[in-house]
Structure formats: structure tokens, C-alpha cells
């Protein structure tokens, strides 16, 4: 019986796919090794361990007196301001995003370069560092929360309009055709056919963006654009670890609660 | 007196961007009040022919006249006014699913308003009443505030017919209006089209898949194959062999 | 079925939809509260718009000669992103296996580990950066640590969900032939999840490249430090140059990474 069995044939791989596989691995490893060269790994403060300990100590012994003292500079007021910045920023960006989304959506009856140019603009907005935008707004309206809200409002357009335009692309274009056939203008099509069917995607993506904006709003303070980031950087600079602890706890709780609420609403929408 | 044709196609040719020929040198006259059915295999160019009439598809060569006026040369504002005269009914109903039935039907009046008015929902009470009456004509009055996605397929198609009725067009293009419906609802929808044709004297041009429905409702048959008109005649003069030829001929390929 | 014109009914009044109004009121309330709290005034912004525009105009005329100075920093930035992507995703790989409920069946362990992961995920990248700067001092190490933690959060979330959706059939087959837990992972789980892992790591890399370019602003290494310097010295032409090279690099990396991910998932 054994004699009838064939020998194991060699693995059926073509030279090309093998070359791609090995080439991919070799290039990846070479890039990783290259990236480890020339980085200054020294210069770590000798007190690093001690400070880490102090921060953890602060996390477990937070400065509760900072939570609320009615001065308007306390944790609750600052977190509330952070939320307001995120809300306003998201609101502004949701409104600006709609026309941008129509521009960048690659639908039928539209020249290829029109949507492509819109996509490039959106990529540019997305890559434009939020922090730099915040600094530009600080020059225009002075330091504080308004600069943060405006910067978020503009920056979020890059991502939000892209998500909206993807939603537009995935819509059935039958209703749009019906409106056109009845003599509707392009604007009629947008208002009567596209917007109603787009609404769930707009709400759900905006809520998602709000989650992201809450996180962003909590760091904008690092450059003076309002919110909880500013007291955090002050506390870090003055080594008030228990205050760092309470602020971190505050941010974590805020983000978890907002994620939870927006997740619950989005689940209901689907 | 030579009657002015409602729709006139002169040497119409349509070539798609990818090189596929959609329509080949079509010459066609359709008079006011006719009920024309277009038959042919899927992919024969029926849909392209219909969409050329209201310029949902631009044609490559030739000219199309609607009531003596060229739609091919019409510019945006004028094109909208011409499309106002041409209602369209679709295979997939093409209602805006998340809008109310009322709003869907009101869309038929869009070309009667400047865009800003409709954007702020400033339809006249008269038009709203007209909408409601159209819904009553197709037996959908009690659904006026329902959302379109709550309706069954047959109900959606009747709302679409009400939309066309509200538009008060002179021509109705129906692109496979019954293809997504069961036989009984199909017949009801065709009855509605017949009502529009007889009661409002609208010219109906319908693509139909079902020979049976075509025979029962059409007055004139146009057979299309590979982008060309291969038959044109009155329904009562059309023998079964013509249909057999259109559906079973072609490249000798058997279709069911 | 068609009614005659005589007996047409009048259009009834529309039903009142409470929830729509509740949402509208909530939105308006949120808007009023947030505008009040942040004291944002659009008129003020438009009044000072020329200042905003001026900076932008200057940035739009990048200082080409500055490219030579900027590029070495950019290279350092990319290196930071690569190192932290590799370390972060490897940590995430192991961690994901520990919190996937079809691999580890002990609910107590997965629950606690997931809680820790969710906490880590809440902290924004720049915040991590400023904490690590306080801990290890100014320099790229702080940035690498921050991005490593950040990558970990991004990849773990996506990856453990992918692991939990794999087909259980192969695992059962391995158990049926007498394989142990490690055998199961190597023969049944790994082949199914590896493409996902690489794809998510690449995705994290795209995010890291963007993030790493601003980490330097708070002293965590890379080109962000130059960003801060040029802004502080009002050299907006140089800032524009930095933003331009960053944009181009992000564009290229996004493109390559998207193509690689598409190829992997095919």
C-alpha cells in the first residue's frame, strides 16, 4: 500500500509571491533597526522612577479639595469648560462639514477631479496640527476657551466631512434621480433626497467626533486654549502630584462617561 | 393638420464612456395621449431610451424634442422646466426612505418653486392639498404622515405615482414599474398608470418585462434589441410571434 | 379605486412629534451653554480675522531654505513613530490574547485587564506626552513612551475584537487532536488573526506619525520642537515649511499604508 503513496510535493509557491513575502519582512526589519539608530536614548532623568512613584501615589491620594471650591478654577468648572469647548467645536464642525462632504463625495454625474480636490483639501485640514491651529486662533481672539473651540471646530472638519462624504457615497442614488427627473435642481436633490437619508450617518458620526473632541479639548489647554489642560500642565510643572492625580482622574471619568453616553445613543440609532 | 408629436427622437445615438453603445440611431415619434410599452431583454437599451427622453442620461448624437422643443439643447433652468413636464416612475420606487409620504409627494412640485422656497419648506397650502388629493386618488391617503420606509413595495410605488400625479406632467416615463412587485400589486400599479393616461390624458411610455401586462395595458408596442428599435406597431395588430422574436431571438440564446 | 373629484378630503393636521422637539431643545441649550461658558464670540473672531489670515498667508509662503533644517527632525519624528508602533503593538498583541474571551475563559482576569485597557485608552496622546516629559525629562524618549502607550490603546481595542470574531472551528479541531492552549494559539488562532494585527499596527502607525509631529511641542522630541520655536519667534514662513513637509510625509505614509492594508486583507 505504501508504494502507491506519492511523496509530499514541494510547497506550491511562485517565486514572485515568495520574493514579495521575504522582501516585505526584510525591508520591515531593516526599517525598524534603522529607526533605533541615532535616537538619543540617554538623558533620562535619574529621578524618573521616583517621579513615576509620586504620580501613582498622587493618583491614589488625589487632592480632593481641588474638586470644587467655587472659584471657577476648580476641577469641576474646568472639566465643564472642556466639555463646552468640545461641544461648541463639534457643533461648528458638523455645520461646516456638510457642504465640504458634498464637495468631496464621489457620486455619479460628477467630474472625478471635483471630488478628488475636495478629498485633498480634507486631508490637508486633517494633517494641519490642531495645536498650531489653536495658536493661530489665540493670535486672533486671544488665549482662552474661544480659541480652543474655534480650533477644534475647524480641525474636526477634516475627519467629519470625510466620514460624511463616505456616507453620501454609500447612499442609493435612486431618490436623487427621482428628484432630478421631477425637475429639481442640484440643491433640491441635496435637501430633499440626500439629507434625510444621510441624517443617521450625520448624527452618529458627529457623536463619535464629539468623543474624540472631548479628548482633544482636554489637551488644548497645554497651549493656552482653555479647558483642563492648563491646570494640568501647571500642576506638572510645580510637581503637585496629588493635584495631577485628581486632574487625571477627572479626565478619565469625564471621557468614560461621555464615551458611554454617546455609545448608548449611537447604538439606539442603528 | 399634422399633429405635433409629444416626443420626437431624431437619429439618437448614445455611447457610454466605456465605449458600450447604448442606443443606435433611434428615430421615434410618440403622440399625445398614447400608452406605449417598450419591450426587450434586459440590457437591450430600454432603460437608456427612457432616460434619454428626460435627459437623465445625456445622448451622444441626435436630438430629442419634447412637444416641439429640444431638451438636448436646454440649459439648466430651462431643462428643469422641461423635466417638469415629464414625470418618471422607477423600478425601485426611489422614494426618500426617511422622509414622510407627504414630503415625498410634494417633491413632485419642486420645479414649480424657486429653490430657496422649497428649502425652507414653503409649499403653498394649495399644493399640500393637491398632494393629499393625489394620495387619495391612489388610495394612500391614510398614510400621508407615515415615513416612506414603513410602507410595503406596492404602497411605495403608489406613493411614487402620487408624486408624478402631483407634478401634473404631460408625459410619464415608467421604468419597469412593476419589476419589484408581486403580480396582484403589479396589476394595481398598471391600473393607476392607465387612470393617469385616460383621466388626465397623460402620454405614458413604460418599459415592461411582462408580456402579459404589456398586452393588457399597452396601445402601442416598441421592441428594442441591442440599442435598436426592431419593432413598432399597434398592440392589436401585434402577433405573439413578434414577442417571441424579441425575447427569444437575439444571438440564438434561450431566455426563459 | 380612484375617487372622484367631489369627495376629496382636506389634508389633516400633522401629528405632534415630541422627541424631535426634545432633541432640538437639547441642542440649542447645549449651544447656548457652551457659547456662554467659553465666551466665544464669532463677531470678535471676524473682527480679528485679518490677524488669523495674516499668519495663514505667511504660512502659505513656506521658507524653502528651511527644509534642510527641518528634514533631520522629521526623520527623528518618523523613527519615534516606528519604534513606538513596534513596541506598542507587540505589547498589544500579547495583551489582546489575554483579554479575548474565546482564548482566556476566566471572566475575572479578562474583566480586570479590560478595565485597565479602557482607562489607558481614555488618556489623549499629548497628555501622555506631558506626563512622560515630567517623568523622564525632555527628549525623544518621553515621546516614544507616550506613543507606545497610545499605540497600545489603539491596537488592543481593535485587535481583541477581531480575535473574538474568529471562526471557532479550527480551535475545536486542534483540541480534538489533543492540542494544548499554546498549540491552539499557534495553529488555529494565529493564521486567522495575523493579517488583522499587521493591518491595525499599520493603522496605528498612520496615527502615530501625525501625533509624533506635535509631541515635540511639549518637549517630547521630534519636529514639534521646531514647530514651537518657529511659532515663538513668529517665523511663520518656517512654520509653513514644517507643516508642508509633515503634510507630504503623512500623505505618502497614509498612501503606502492603505495600499499595504488592502493587500493584506485581500
Amino acid at each position: 500500500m505504501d508504494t502507491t503513496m506519492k511523496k509530499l510535493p514541494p510547497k506550491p509557491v511562485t517565486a514572485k509571491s515568495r520574493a514579495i513575502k521575504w522582501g516585505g519582512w526584510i525591508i520591515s526589519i531593516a526599517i525598524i533597526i534603522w529607526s533605533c539608530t541615532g535616537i538619543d536614548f540617554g538623558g533620562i532623568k535619574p529621578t524618573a522612577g521616583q517621579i513615576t512613584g509620586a504620580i501613582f501615589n498622587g493618583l491614589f491620594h488625589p487632592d480632593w479639595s481641588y474638586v470644587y471650591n467655587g472659584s471657577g478654577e476648580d476641577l469641576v468648572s474646568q472639566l465643564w469648560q472642556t466639555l463646552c469647548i468640545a461641544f461648541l467645536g463639534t457643533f461648528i464642525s458638523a455645520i461646516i462639514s456638510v457642504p465640504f462632504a458634498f464637495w468631496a463625495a464621489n457620486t455619479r454625474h460628477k467630474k472625478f477631479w471635483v471630488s478628488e480636490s475636495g478629498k485633498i483639501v480634507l486631508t490637508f485640514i486633517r494633517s494641519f496640527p490642531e495645536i498650531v491651529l489653536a495658536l493661530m486662533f489665540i493670535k486672533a481672539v486671544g488665549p482662552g476657551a474661544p480659541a480652543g473651540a474655534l480650533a477644534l471646530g475647524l480641525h474636526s472638519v477634516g475627519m467629519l466631512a470625510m466620514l460624511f462624504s463616505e456616507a453620501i457615497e454609500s447612499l442609493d442614488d435612486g431618490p436623487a434621480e427621482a428628484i432630478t427627473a421631477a425637475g429639481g435642481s442640484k440643491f433640491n436633490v441635496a435637501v430633499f433626497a440626500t439629507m434625510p437619508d444621510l441624517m443617521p450617518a450625520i448624527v452618529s458620526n458627529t457623536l463619535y467626533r464629539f468623543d474624540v473632541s472631548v479628548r482633544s479639548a482636554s489637551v488644548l489647554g497645554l497651549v493656552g486654549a482653555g479647558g483642563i489642560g492648563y491646570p494640568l500642565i501647571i500642576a506638572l510643572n510645580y510637581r503637585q502630584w496629588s493635584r495631577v492625580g485628581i486632574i487625571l482622574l477627572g479626565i478619565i471619568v469625564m471621557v468614560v462617561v461621555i464615551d458611554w453616553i454617546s455609545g448608548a445613543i449611537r447604538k439606539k440609532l442603528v | 393638420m399634422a399633429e405635433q408629436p409629444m416626443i420626437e427622437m431624431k437619429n439618437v445615438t448614445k455611447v457610454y464612456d466605456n465605449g458600450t453603445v447604448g442606443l443606435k440611431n433611434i428615430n421615434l415619434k410618440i403622440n399625445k395621449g398614447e400608452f406605449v410599452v417598450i419591450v426587450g431583454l434586459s440590457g437591450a437599451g430600454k432603460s437608456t431610451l427612457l432616460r434619454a427622453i428626460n435627459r437623465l442620461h445625456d445622448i451622444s448624437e441626435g436630438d430629442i424634442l419634447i412637444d416641439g422643443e429640444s431638451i438636448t439643447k436646454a440649459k439648466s433652468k430651462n431643462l428643469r422646466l422641461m423635466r417638469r413636464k415629464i414625470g418618471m416612475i422607477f423600478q425601485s420606487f426611489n422614494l426618500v426612505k426617511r422622509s414622510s409620504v407627504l414630503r415625498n409627494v410634494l417633491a413632485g412640485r419642486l420645479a414649480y418653486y424657486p429653490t430657496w422656497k422649497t428649502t425652507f419648506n414653503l409649499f403653498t397650502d394649495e399644493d399640500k392639498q393637491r398632494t393629499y388629493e393625489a394620495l387619495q386618488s391612489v388610495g394612500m391617503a391614510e398614510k400621508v404622515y407615515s415615513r416612506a420606509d414603513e410602507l410595503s413595495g406596492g404602497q411605495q410605488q403608489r406613493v411614487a405615482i402620487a408624486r408624478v400625479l402631483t407634478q401634473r406632467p404631460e408625459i410619464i416615463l415608467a421604468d419597469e414599474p412593476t419589476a419589484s412587485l408581486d403580480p396582484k400589486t403589479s396589476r394595481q400599479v398598471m391600473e393607476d398608470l392607465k387612470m393617469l393616461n385616460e383621466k388626465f390624458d397623460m402620454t405614458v411610455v413604460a418599459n415592461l418585462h411582462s408580456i402579459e401586462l404589456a398586452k393588457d395595458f399597452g396601445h402601442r408596442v416598441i421592441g428594442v434589441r441591442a440599442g435598436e428599435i426592431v419593432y413598432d406597431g399597434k398592440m392589436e395588430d401585434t402577433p405573439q410571434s413578434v414577442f417571441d422574436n424579441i425575447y427569444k431571438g437575439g444571438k440564438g440564446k434561450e431566455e426563459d | 379605486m380612484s375617487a372622484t373629484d367631489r369627495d376629496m378630503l382636506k389634508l389633516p393636521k400633522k401629528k405632534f412629534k415630541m422627541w424631535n422637539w426634545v432633541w432640538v431643545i437639547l441642542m440649542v441649550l447645549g449651544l447656548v451653554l457652551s457659547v456662554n461658558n467659553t465666551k466665544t464670540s464669532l463677531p470678535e473672531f471676524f473682527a480679528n480675522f485679518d490677524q488669523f489670515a495674516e499668519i495663514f498667508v505667511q504660512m502659505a509662503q513656506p521658507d524653502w531654505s528651511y527644509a534642510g533644517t527641518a528634514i533631520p527632525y522629521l526623520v527623528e519624528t518618523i523613527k519615534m513613530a516606528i519604534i513606538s508602533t513596534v513596541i506598542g503593538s507587540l505589547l498589544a498583541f500579547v495583551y489582546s490574547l489575554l483579554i479575548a474571551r474565546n482564548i482566556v475563559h476566566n471572566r475575572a482576569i479578562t474583566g480586570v485587564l479590560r478595565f485597565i485597557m479602557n482607562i489607558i485608552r481614555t488618556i489623549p496622546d499629548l497628555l501622555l506626552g506631558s506626563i512622560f516629559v515630567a517623568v523622564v525629562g525632555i527628549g525623544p524618549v518621553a515621546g516614544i513612551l507616550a506613543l507606545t502607550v497610545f499605540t497600545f490603546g489603539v491596537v488592543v481595542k481593535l485587535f481583541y475584537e477581531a480575535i473574538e470574531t474568529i471562526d471557532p472551528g479550527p480551535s475545536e479541531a486542534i483540541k480534538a487532536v489533543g492540542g494544548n492552549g499554546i498549540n491552539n494559539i499557534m495553529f488555529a488562532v494565529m493564521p486567522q488573526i495575523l493579517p488583522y494585527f499587521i493591518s491595525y499596527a499599520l493603522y496605528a502607525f498612520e496615527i502615530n506619525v501625525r501625533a509624533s509631529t506635535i509631541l515635540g511641542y511639549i518637549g517630547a522630541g521630534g519636529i514639534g520642537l521646531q514647530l514651537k520655536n518657529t511659532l515663538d519667534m513668529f517665523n511663520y514662513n518656517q512654520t509653513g515649511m514644517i507643516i508642508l513637509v509633515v503634510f507630504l510625509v503623512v500623505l505618502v505614509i497614509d498612501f503606502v499604508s492603505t495600499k499595504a492594508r488592502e493587500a493584506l486583507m485581500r
Side-chain angles (χ1 to χ4, degrees):
Chain A
M1 191 164 119
D2 282 15
T3 50
T4 59
M5 290 293 188
K6 284 184 195 155
K7 274 188 82 169
L8 176 69
K11 217 173 161 186
V13 275
T14 63
K16 193 185 164 202
S17 75
R18 191 185 289 173
I20 291 177
K21 194 178 164 193
W22 282 101
W25 278 109
I26 291 169
I27 292 173
S28 308
I29 290 170
I31 289 177
I32 292 169
I33 293 173
W34 164 77
S35 63
C36 292
T37 59
I39 294 248
D40 179 16
F41 285 103
I44 298 180
K45 281 198 284 191
T47 51
Q50 212 181 319
I51 296 173
T52 313
I55 289 181
F56 272 98
N57 193 34
L59 266 175
F60 292 107
H61 301 88
D63 174 7
W64 294 112
S65 68
Y66 180 64
V67 173
Y68 187 76
N69 57 23
S71 67
E73 300 295 318
D74 50 70
L75 183 69
V76 171
S77 321
Q78 295 288 339
L79 285 178
W80 175 241
Q81 187 179 53
T82 308
L83 276 182
C84 286
I85 294 171
F87 185 91
L88 189 56
T90 313
F91 201 97
I92 295 172
S93 71
I95 291 169
I96 307 177
S97 289
V98 171
F100 270 95
F102 276 96
W103 177 16
N106 183 18
T107 49
R108 276 194 329 154
H109 312 299
K110 197 165 164 187
K111 295 278 181 295
F112 169 76
W113 56 266
V114 176
S115 62
E116 209 53 28
S117 64
K119 282 187 172 46
I120 289 177
V121 168
L122 291 183
T123 312
F124 182 74
I125 297 178
R126 245 177 313 153
S127 317
F128 200 96
E130 214 167 3
I131 296 283
V132 177
L133 209 51
L135 289 164
M136 287 166 72
F137 278 108
I138 285 175
K139 305 265 178 191
V141 296
L150 292 171
L152 258 184
L154 200 54
H155 179 78
S156 312
V157 170
M159 174 182 156
L160 208 48
M162 186 196 68
L163 293 173
F164 288 177
S165 74
E166 280 169 4
I168 294 176
E169 283 169 12
S170 67
L171 282 184
D172 169 26
D173 63 9
E177 206 176 23
I179 301 289
T180 312
S185 61
K186 280 195 175 138
F187 197 75
N188 283 150
V189 169
V191 171
F192 274 79
T194 315
M195 282 307 275
D197 283 340
L198 197 60
M199 237 25 213
I202 290 186
V203 174
S204 133
N205 285 325
T206 307
L207 275 170
Y208 169 64
R209 181 62 222 191
F210 181 59
D211 292 1
V212 180
S213 292
V214 169
R215 288 174 167 82
S216 299
S218 58
V219 297
L220 281 173
L222 298 180
V223 296
I228 191 72
Y230 185 65
L232 178 70
I233 200 91
I234 298 288
L236 279 169
N237 285 345
Y238 288 92
R239 309 181 165 276
Q240 299 165 311
W241 304 124
S242 54
R243 180 161 288 191
V244 171
I246 190 76
I247 293 176
L248 280 178
L249 281 180
I251 293 175
I252 289 169
V253 168
M254 172 178 73
V255 171
V256 166
V257 169
I258 294 293
D259 276 9
W260 181 73
I261 293 175
S262 101
I265 298 177
R266 271 186 287 156
K267 219 173 245 169
K268 255 195 151 171
L269 275 173
V270 177
Chain B
M1 170 192 123
E3 203 188 344
Q4 167 106 296
M6 200 67 212
I7 303 168
E8 185 172 9
M9 300 179 97
K10 290 180 184 166
N11 306 318
V12 172
T13 296
K14 161 84 182 168
V15 182
Y16 285 101
D17 291 340
N18 59 14
T20 320
V21 178
L23 298 174
K24 245 185 270 173
N25 198 27
I26 301 264
N27 283 289
L28 182 64
K29 281 181 188 173
I30 295 172
N31 292 321
K32 188 168 174 57
E34 280 196 274
F35 196 123
V36 180
V37 293
I38 301 177
V39 292
L41 294 170
S42 43
K46 304 192 300 280
S47 194
T48 314
L49 179 64
L50 223 55
R51 275 150 214 260
I53 295 175
N54 63 357
R55 240 182 93 185
L56 280 183
H57 285 176
D58 276 312
I59 55 173
S60 322
E61 278 169 50
D63 198 3
I64 298 173
L65 307 180
I66 304 297
D67 210 3
E69 199 183 341
S70 167
I71 194 167
T72 320
K73 299 190 182 82
K75 290 276 179 292
S76 62
K77 172 72 183 160
N78 213 13
L79 177 62
R80 289 186 59 193
L81 291 179
M82 290 188 76
R83 278 179 176 158
R84 193 168 84 178
K85 287 202 274 187
I86 311 171
M88 191 160 189
I89 292 166
F90 302 84
Q91 172 179 350
S92 47
F93 328 129
N94 289 357
L95 298 184
V96 182
K97 299 272 188 302
R98 298 180 52 85
S99 290
S100 69
V101 165
L102 176 71
R103 200 168 159 82
N104 266 296
V105 180
L106 271 175
R109 299 302 289 177
L110 280 175
Y112 291 85
Y113 290 88
T115 299
W116 68 269
K117 268 199 172 173
T118 54
T119 302
F120 293 104
N121 213 8
L122 298 172
F123 290 97
T124 58
D125 284 342
E126 192 193 339
D127 272 351
K128 284 186 186 161
Q129 179 62 22
R130 195 198 294 266
T131 299
Y132 192 52
E133 288 173 9
L135 281 169
Q136 290 175 59
S137 307
V138 296
M140 294 293 300
E142 73 277 20
K143 300 285 188 190
V144 60
Y145 289 120
S146 303
R147 239 167 64 168
D149 55 6
E150 293 165 6
L151 307 180
S152 70
Q155 288 175 322
Q156 289 194 33
Q157 192 60 298
R158 276 146 73 193
V159 170
I161 291 175
R163 175 169 67 192
V164 165
L165 186 55
T166 322
Q167 191 181 333
R168 285 289 151 88
E170 291 168 46
I171 300 168
I172 291 181
L173 307 174
D175 186 19
E176 300 282 4
T178 61
S180 322
L181 303 174
D182 61 65
K184 185 163 168 281
T185 342
S186 294
R187 208 151 261 286
Q188 278 175 350
V189 164
M190 290 309 291
E191 290 288 351
D192 285 338
L193 281 179
K194 190 177 170 188
M195 183 260 295
L196 296 180
N197 176 244
E198 288 170 358
K199 192 170 154 196
F200 297 96
D201 202 25
M202 295 174 185
T203 311
V204 176
V205 184
N207 286 342
L208 284 179
H209 223 74
S210 148
I211 300 176
E212 198 192 332
L213 286 177
K215 280 181 172 167
D216 289 353
F217 290 93
H219 300 157
R220 178 177 166 192
V221 192
I222 292 175
V224 179
R225 190 195 298 150
E228 285 179 292
I229 293 183
V230 292
Y231 179 81
D232 188 348
K234 278 192 172 160
M235 182 59 78
E236 59 257 37
D237 306 337
T238 306
Q240 178 64 31
S241 62
V242 168
F243 292 108
D244 292 345
N245 199 21
I246 290 167
Y247 282 99
K248 293 199 175 127
K251 294 153 194 144
K253 215 166 142 191
E254 284 286 314
E255 294 272 333
D256 63 316
Chain C
M1 65 196 289
S2 73
T4 55
D5 294 308
R6 293 286 155 65
D7 47 44
M8 287 294 182
L9 302 168
K10 284 292 257 192
L11 179 67
K13 276 265 175 289
K14 199 170 158 181
K15 267 179 283 173
F16 184 72
K17 290 209 177 109
M18 189 186 70
W19 277 106
N20 290 356
W21 288 104
V22 170
W23 285 117
V24 168
I25 291 168
L26 273 179
M27 282 294 118
V28 172
L29 194 71
L31 191 61
V32 170
L33 281 177
S34 57
V35 168
N36 262 336
N37 180 283
T38 59
K39 301 183 183 62
T40 302
S41 117
L42 279 182
E44 193 188 345
F45 168 61
F46 286 115
N48 294 311
F49 188 76
D50 51 330
Q51 297 205 29
F52 180 81
E54 198 189 301
I55 302 174
F56 196 81
V57 167
Q58 285 194 40
M59 283 186 183
Q61 303 160 325
D63 176 1
W64 299 102
S65 64
Y66 189 67
T69 321
I71 285 171
Y73 288 99
L74 190 63
V75 171
E76 185 191 51
T77 312
I78 296 170
K79 285 180 175 175
M80 282 166 55
I82 294 174
I83 297 173
S84 36
T85 307
V86 171
I87 304 174
S89 9
L90 288 179
L91 289 176
F93 188 94
V94 178
Y95 202 88
S96 300
L97 288 172
L98 293 177
I99 63 171
R101 293 209 163 123
N102 52 350
I103 308 276
V104 173
H105 298 285
N106 186 331
R107 289 244 159 189
I109 295 179
T110 57
V112 171
L113 290 179
R114 275 182 196 203
F115 179 76
I116 296 172
M117 170 207 64
N118 280 322
I119 296 295
I120 292 173
R121 278 174 49 78
T122 57
I123 308 173
D125 46 2
L126 268 181
L127 221 56
L128 285 170
S130 44
I131 293 168
F132 279 115
V133 167
V135 173
V136 301
I138 288 174
V141 176
I144 291 172
L145 288 172
L147 286 178
T148 302
V149 176
F150 186 68
T151 309
F152 174 79
V154 171
V155 177
V156 163
K157 176 78 184 351
L158 292 166
F159 190 46
Y160 95 83
E161 283 174 356
I163 297 178
E164 288 195 340
T165 56
I166 62 170
D167 176 14
S171 292
E172 281 171 6
I174 295 294
K175 273 177 212 147
V177 296
N180 61 19
I182 301 290
N183 291 148
N184 174 27
I185 291 176
M186 291 310 290
F187 283 90
V189 180
M190 221 41 114
Q192 293 190 63
I193 58 175
L194 217 49
Y196 287 99
F197 173 69
I198 299 175
S199 166
Y200 295 147
L202 283 171
Y203 170 68
F205 179 57
E206 290 172 35
I207 303 180
N208 281 343
V209 170
R210 281 168 213 262
S212 61
T213 55
I214 47 169
L215 275 174
Y217 192 90
I218 47 159
I223 201 166
L225 180 65
Q226 305 307 308
L227 206 59
K228 182 177 164 63
N229 289 343
T230 56
L231 282 166
D232 285 351
M233 293 187 294
F234 309 107
N235 283 330
Y236 297 124
N237 310 65
Q238 296 183 349
T239 314
M241 189 65 224
I242 295 174
I243 292 174
L244 186 70
V245 290
V246 166
F247 174 64
L248 290 176
V249 165
V250 167
L251 215 57
V252 169
I253 286 179
D254 274 13
F255 179 79
V256 172
S257 154
T258 310
K259 285 283 168 239
R261 278 158 58 199
E262 276 171 9
L264 268 173
M265 285 302 165
R266 212 180 304 124

